[in-house]
Amino acid sequence: MAVTFDGGVIIGSDSRATRGGEEVSSKTINKLVQVHQRIFCCMAGSLADAQAVLKTASFQLNLHSVQMEAPPRVIAAASLLRKLCYHNKDELQAGFITAGWDPQKGPQVYVVSLGGMLISQPFTIAGSGSTYIYGYTDAKYRPHMTREEGLQFVTNALALAMGRDNVSGGVAHLVVITEEGAEHVVIPGNKLPKFHDE
């Protein structure tokens, strides 16, 4: 998931990867990938497809940055992912959340769905655990949150999804992206908030 707050954006995910959506193949994967200094993507769908797309996108964004002598805009990264997903929609099973900060528009969140649809949103959720937290995120999201409120919102949402979805879990990876840069936060599973008796 990702959410904007006053001055930045937070992107976060759990650390489990599955094979076919049923069998956990890794409990320690970091699904948050840095594609440029202040731009991160969260992968959903086929891990192999997502990694291949992000490797290509990262290369092209770095080349673009060198040619333009400036960092790429967040919309440029999201549009590049949309293009790669759309042109390969018959072969790929991958979607992305793109979050970042740039001087032109500040904090931004974009969703690139399977097939290459691109949407800008103040916050978004995706993945198998998202079906369990739509009500929570709709009720608790509010614009212009502080950094601390945004971190709590993302942490609580991830904890709820990981507590309900049998193929979500592990640790929570979060990245806070602001004008100053990116800060990685890892919350072990046993330190996440609990909302019910387990």
Side-chain angles (χ1 to χ4, degrees):
M1 73 174 296
V3 63
T4 58
F5 66 91
D6 274 348
V9 63
I10 301 166
I11 188 168
S13 77
D14 70 318
S15 64
R16 282 195 188 158
T18 61
R19 214 176 322 207
E22 297 173 6
E23 176 186 328
V24 175
S25 58
S26 175
K27 296 179 184 178
T28 59
I29 190 157
N30 184 357
K31 299 176 189 175
L32 306 179
V33 177
Q34 187 172 16
V35 293
H36 208 269
Q37 288 176 305
R38 291 184 195 93
I39 304 172
F40 281 75
C41 293
C42 185
M43 305 180 277
S46 165
L47 185 59
D49 289 352
Q51 287 175 328
V53 169
L54 288 175
K55 187 175 182 180
T56 301
S58 181
F59 172 79
Q60 290 185 11
L61 284 171
N62 283 310
L63 181 61
H64 174 74
S65 179
V66 169
Q67 291 171 336
M68 299 302 290
E69 297 180 353
R73 296 179 63 181
V74 181
I75 186 65
S79 296
L80 177 58
L81 289 169
R82 182 209 56 79
K83 179 181 174 185
L84 290 168
C85 288
Y86 180 76
H87 288 298
N88 298 287
K89 65 182 176 237
D90 294 331
E91 289 83 30
L92 294 177
Q93 289 294 314
F96 303 93
I97 295 172
T98 303
W101 186 96
D102 64 42
Q104 291 81 9
K105 289 187 71 179
Q108 299 153 69
V109 172
Y110 296 95
V111 180
V112 177
S113 64
L114 295 173
M117 181 175 68
L118 176 63
I119 303 171
S120 173
Q121 297 179 304
F123 83 92
T124 192
I125 58 177
S128 62
S130 65
T131 57
Y132 298 95
I133 60 170
Y134 276 104
Y136 173 82
T137 56
D138 286 345
K140 297 294 184 179
Y141 170 76
R142 57 186 188 72
H144 309 295
M145 287 190 274
T146 65
R147 174 189 172 106
E148 291 72 29
E149 290 169 334
L151 279 168
Q152 195 62 58
F153 175 69
V154 173
T155 301
N156 288 350
L158 290 174
L160 285 164
M162 291 162 68
R164 297 287 183 196
D165 181 28
N166 67 331
V167 293
S168 294
V171 303
H173 290 280
L174 291 87
V175 178
V176 181
I177 310 161
T178 62
E179 182 177 5
E180 289 75 40
E183 175 193 348
H184 297 258
V185 179
V186 178
I187 305 171
N190 62 350
K191 301 290 186 194
L192 288 167
K194 295 200 185 313
F195 297 92
H196 55 85
D197 294 330
E198 293 182 355

